[in-house]
Amino acid sequence: MESNTLILRGAHVIDPKQGIDAIADVVVANQRIEFVGDASHVDGEVLDLTGHYLSPGWIDIHVHTYGTLGFSDPDAIGVYQGVTTFVDAGGAGIGVLDEFEATMDGLHTSLYAGPFVRPLGLIALNFLEGEIRSLGNIPLSEWVDFMKQKRGMVRYLKCNAMGNYGPGSLKISKGLAQVLGVPLYMHIGEFQQHKVEETLAMEAFRIAEPGDMITHVYHGNMGKVVDDHGKVLDLVRRAQDRGVLFDVGFGGYNFAWKVAEQAFNQGLLPDTISSDLQQFNVVTPVKSLANVMTAMMILGMGLYNVISRVTDRAARAISLQDEAGTLAPGMPADITVFDLVKEPLVVTDCILQKRTASAYLKPLMAFKKGLRFDCDMERAKKESNWLVQYSDEKVPQRAKWLTAPQKQFLSDLAEALAHVKWSITPEEEFDYDKALELQRIFHFVRKRHDLTLKACLDSVHFSFTDHPFPIQAGLFIMCQERDFFFSRIREIVANQVSVEIL
Amino acid sequence: MNCEQAHSTDADWAIASPVPINDLKFPLRVKVGDETIVIHQTKAGFRAVDKGCPHQGASWTQGDLIMNESMIKCPLHAFTFRLSDGKGVNCPGFRIKVFDVRETDGLLYVRVPKKVGVMEA
């Protein structure tokens, strides 16, 4: 055996894909799993994990790392919480997948995209996402071209089954998913503050085909999976029976104990467990995928079945079985080590209802391709990770790193934007066309410069935030008060090039 | 929302509570004139905000003071506002009302607009 062999000794190994649920050793070499079993005859570095649990690296199929919901430090909800693979659920759309790729490079956690059907990705910021009126709103050739080049990046197509838009928008999304050859991943449940007369949630259950996924299945808003008497709807049951996958997607709006208990009591269990972690729910109530897994245990799901829903079942749902979800020989050494702490823990849902677990899951360490990361459950809660602060009182320190060509880009960008008006107010409908226009101008100017996309994005981001929040360029600009935007750019480029802005 | 911090020219100091400060618990929800406000005790002194988050109305009595107690975070969805001027930090376009608070002879006073609800930005 080679000297880089690592023996993880004596943990209680749970690998549902292989039917393993026993004390065993796990041998890792060359970043891959050698075998699970008795390693007493193997030479190598030994890590004694007696008394702990070990499973394939956890997969969270629904997080937000990018865009207006994303994090400054996405690994904080990844390897540092025991999650070795995650999927960004809708942060990017076809119009910004290049930005997604440019800015999300270099994470320790494996990141995949579940792009949103609209071109900018999710807008969030308390705005409804709007409808897809026709195929004319879908840049089909761009989608097809992208999938030809980067198919491995995309795990599903996300859309929202919400709002007063009628079923057409969902059917168009379904059609696009079919063209692209990926599952459709549908959000159900109206946000509480949005008044709608009729929910699209039921239409989601109607159009979903085997392999398509419905998330937020235990939400407590309009469009629940149970009727007014708490009975699981026949439509919902039939969808799961025919192979539609149900995902937890806990989130900040999307999980209610009452609904979950009613559903579990009638056997409506999730196929996958995901967190929907984002900057607006990481401190509370979601906290971590481990917290959501503990919630499932409160509902009566056993540990083995919980692990299955973040390993082999999660991998199958996003067609990642060849890369993740099991400790089978030859697989990448993605591993989560955790404890089942026999102490009570209160888990709060999205409407502040509480339940108490008799024991809870606590990730200890993750191995990503054999590289060890010790978990730090506080890391994600740091304000610098989730609180987007536009530094309007002083120029961010990062702006000092901008090069002369980047400042020239900023100057030209400001000049190109000089005659465009914009504002963002929560009382008004979001001006999607304006965000698209700002996006187009950003890229129009970018293409006139000999700079990478990342360098151009950094130019804008470094000018306004101290921490890296990779938000879509057009949306990022739109989030700045217009006068302030120009004054800041003017301040940054003042010593570099002579420009006249406004 | 057009409301901002009240200015001295259009605001008066009003007593927040006849109870001495030492006998009060914070955060404190009180009504001053037409305005229901919540007074927080921060490292930098007392500061008052309007009654609830503009997102979904969660009471600011449940708000968390963050960033060295210079901001208040909603307990529901982490919408965060600066206590200095009420500006939304991570929620562009959103604002809350904020009010100066002072301590005089052991009692708390809040500077509120003379005519609440018609302030202009």
Side-chain angles (χ1 to χ4, degrees), chain A residues 193 253 280 389 392 427, chain B residues 1 55-56 67 82 87:
Chain A
Q193 74 270 34
Y253 295 91
F280 295 101
Q389 292 193 68
D392 54 3
E427 287 84 5
Chain B
M1 199 170 294
H55 181 213
Q56 292 197 353
M67 295 300 287
R82 291 197 302 223
K87 185 177 180 183

Side-chain angles (χ1 to χ4, degrees), chain A residues 320-365:
Chain A
L320 211 61
Q321 303 98 309
D322 294 339
E323 296 176 42
T326 177
L327 302 171
M331 290 291 287
D334 291 0
I335 294 164
T336 301
V337 179
F338 60 97
D339 279 343
L340 182 60
V341 180
K342 301 287 179 56
E343 294 174 9
L345 181 79
V346 173
V347 178
T348 306
D349 72 5
C350 304
I351 48 175
L352 305 182
Q353 300 299 301
K354 301 178 190 307
R355 300 291 186 271
T356 303
S358 58
Y360 66 91
L361 294 170
K362 180 183 179 184
L364 298 177
M365 64 185 80

Side-chain angles (χ1 to χ4, degrees), chain A residues 278-287 380-381 386, chain B residues 64 73 78:
Chain A
Q278 55 185 260
Q279 57 183 247
F280 295 101
N281 64 34
V282 65
V283 177
T284 188
V286 183
K287 301 178 181 175
K381 298 178 187 172
W386 63 266
Chain B
D64 299 318
K73 176 178 79 66

Side-chain angles (χ1 to χ4, degrees), chain B:
Chain B
M1 199 170 294
N2 284 331
C3 301
E4 285 195 334
Q5 187 174 353
H7 300 292
S8 57
T9 54
D10 60 0
D12 283 331
W13 291 96
I15 192 164
S17 171
V19 179
I21 291 174
N22 291 339
D23 296 331
L24 294 173
K25 286 186 177 179
F26 298 95
L28 174 69
R29 180 181 161 112
V30 294
K31 190 161 187 178
V32 179
D34 295 331
E35 190 83 16
T36 299
I37 64 171
V38 177
I39 302 173
H40 280 266
Q41 189 169 21
T42 78
K43 290 176 182 174
F46 293 102
R47 193 70 173 155
V49 296
D50 52 16
K51 65 180 178 183
C53 179
H55 181 213
Q56 292 197 353
S59 171
W60 283 131
T61 59
Q62 304 293 314
D64 299 318
L65 300 178
I66 67 168
M67 295 300 287
N68 201 28
E69 301 191 348
S70 66
M71 298 179 187
I72 189 165
K73 176 178 79 66
C74 179
L76 285 181
H77 304 110
F79 278 37
T80 301
F81 301 85
R82 291 197 302 223
L83 288 172
S84 60
D85 60 4
K87 185 177 180 183
V89 177
N90 57 354
C91 41
F94 280 91
R95 274 187 179 278
I96 61 171
K97 296 179 194 174
V98 293
F99 306 92
D100 291 333
V101 181
R102 80 177 181 202
E103 178 184 349
T104 303
D105 297 331
L107 297 177
L108 279 184
Y109 292 81
V110 181
R111 193 159 71 171
V112 292
K114 285 179 178 173
K115 195 172 181 183
V116 172
V118 293
M119 291 184 297
E120 295 299 324

Side-chain angles (χ1 to χ4, degrees), chain A residues 402-460:
Chain A
L402 294 176
T403 63
Q406 284 178 301
K407 290 181 179 179
Q408 184 63 55
F409 167 76
L410 282 176
S411 173
D412 291 349
L413 177 63
E415 189 175 351
L417 290 169
H419 302 292
V420 183
K421 307 291 183 192
W422 73 83
S423 66
I424 186 165
T425 60
E427 287 84 5
E428 297 171 9
E429 188 174 348
F430 182 77
D431 189 344
Y432 198 91
D433 291 338
K434 182 63 69 179
L436 277 176
E437 181 184 2
L438 297 174
Q439 186 79 13
R440 275 195 298 269
I441 292 171
F442 173 89
H443 286 282
F444 174 78
V445 176
R446 174 178 72 80
K447 287 172 183 170
R448 289 170 21 207
H449 286 74
D450 188 21
L451 289 169
T452 64
L453 172 56
K454 176 71 162 50
C456 293
L457 290 166
D458 285 348
S459 304
V460 176

